[in-house]
Amino acid sequence: MSLTDPPPVELRDGAVAIGGRPVLRGIDLTVTTGEFVALLGANGSGKSTLVRALTGLRPLTRGELRLFGTPFDEFRTWHRIGFVPQRTGAASGVPASVREVVTSGRLTRRRLLRPLRAADRLAIDEAIELVGLTDRATDGVSTLSGGQQQRVLIARALAGDPELFFLDEPTAGVDLHHQQVLADALAALKARGSTVVLVAHELGPIEPLVDRAVVMRDGRIDYDGRLADHVDPTGHHHAAHRRVHDHVPHVAAPLEHLHSSREPRA
């Protein structure tokens, strides 16, 4: 990509309502090529709802979303985007091996039922290796720990070789060892020049990778800038930091009980 290419993500005046109640309002967000952006904030602040809106999983009630310069409704090149949801069990009750789950992520690059090409197999092997699961490739996903299952979901997204990654709390409920493995995989992505938008409540080993923090509070962007030492992951920061969208009325984010059981609160 050249410096003149449009940014991977552009959202202007974005709003989301659930059951008629506003959850997000007045969201302006641009993510440039190669940036590693962390969406931070307390539970219920709207950060997970925002990432779902950016991926089209939550429709906007107002505003304009562009992906790689294309209006969302016209966007078709989904192989350019990878999404890693919050861990709900990579196997989802289906007996499948690590390789089978990761292979499913390659469907964005090939037609259904077409045999795997050499390039497909290489991408799958590299994705599994990057998350440190080569020795478990033939094991059933249901036999893995929670942290290992999360790494399978990341490998599945990696297999499609996307340019833009969205990750929704990939380290939630994961021990420090697995957090470090995830951080190493994300560092390799960053080194490739990939664009990453990551939702987190706590950053842990991922913190050194973050170029920019976007802190959510009550359904609005409260801070957008450098991740300073005195900005904690729950969104609390010193008054000296610039607050944005102060003209927008305070909107409390409701409990997202209308989400399905597989959509934890933001």
Side-chain angles (χ1 to χ4, degrees):
M1 277 194 176
S2 71
L3 295 178
T4 59
D5 287 334
V9 177
E10 289 180 281
L11 177 61
R12 291 289 173 264
D13 194 29
V16 171
I18 298 176
R21 299 182 63 187
V23 178
L24 301 178
R25 179 181 288 182
I27 303 294
D28 291 327
L29 179 66
T30 298
V31 180
T32 59
T33 301
E35 264 195 308
F36 194 119
V37 176
L39 296 179
L40 308 174
N43 287 335
S45 63
K47 58 187 186 297
S48 285
T49 301
L50 176 55
V51 82
R52 292 182 196 124
L54 296 176
T55 55
L57 296 176
R58 275 287 176 200
L60 295 173
T61 53
R62 190 181 69 243
E64 180 185 25
L65 172 62
R66 288 177 174 266
L67 299 175
F68 298 98
T70 302
F72 180 80
D73 290 342
E74 301 172 16
F75 188 76
R76 298 292 182 270
T77 53
W78 291 106
H79 64 273
R80 303 180 74 180
I81 296 176
F83 176 63
V84 180
Q86 291 189 33
R87 178 171 56 85
T88 55
S92 300
V94 177
S97 70
V98 170
R99 179 174 294 280
E100 288 169 337
V101 171
V102 175
T103 297
S104 70
R106 194 66 186 171
L107 288 175
T108 58
R109 291 283 182 176
R110 64 187 184 91
R111 292 183 179 179
L112 190 64
L113 302 181
R114 284 288 183 89
L116 290 174
R117 300 167 301 171
D120 296 321
R121 289 191 291 271
L122 179 61
I124 292 163
D125 289 342
E126 287 182 345
I128 294 172
E129 181 180 7
L130 189 60
V131 299
L133 290 175
T134 299
D135 61 336
R136 304 296 302 271
T138 59
D139 292 353
V141 173
S142 60
T143 67
L144 305 183
S145 69
Q148 289 169 327
Q149 288 189 21
Q150 186 63 49
R151 285 151 59 187
V152 172
L153 294 179
I154 291 176
R156 182 177 66 182
L158 284 169
D161 196 24
E163 302 163 45
L164 169 62
F165 287 85
F166 293 98
L167 301 100
D168 194 357
E169 302 219 35
T171 60
V174 175
D175 63 32
L176 186 59
H177 167 70
H178 289 299
Q179 288 181 34
Q180 186 60 60
V181 174
L182 291 171
D184 292 343
L186 293 175
L189 280 182
K190 183 173 182 176
R192 291 180 182 179
S194 301
T195 305
V196 178
V197 178
L198 178 143
V199 176
H201 185 67
E202 296 180 357
L203 289 171
I206 294 174
E207 183 172 342
L209 304 176
V210 175
D211 299 311
R212 175 177 154 213
V214 174
V215 180
M216 301 294 296
R217 189 191 299 273
D218 299 328
R220 302 181 299 156
I221 292 179
D222 189 61
Y223 173 80
D224 184 347
R226 187 176 61 87
L227 182 64
D229 293 338
H230 53 294
V231 177
D232 70 41
T234 62
H236 295 98
H237 54 84
H238 289 266
H241 275 155
R242 175 174 60 90
R243 294 189 64 174
V244 295
H245 301 307
D246 284 340
H247 64 286
V248 178
H250 179 88
V251 180
L255 295 176
E256 295 188 9
H257 61 279
L258 296 177
H259 285 290
S260 71
S261 61
R262 291 193 178 189
E263 283 191 313
R265 286 192 306 166

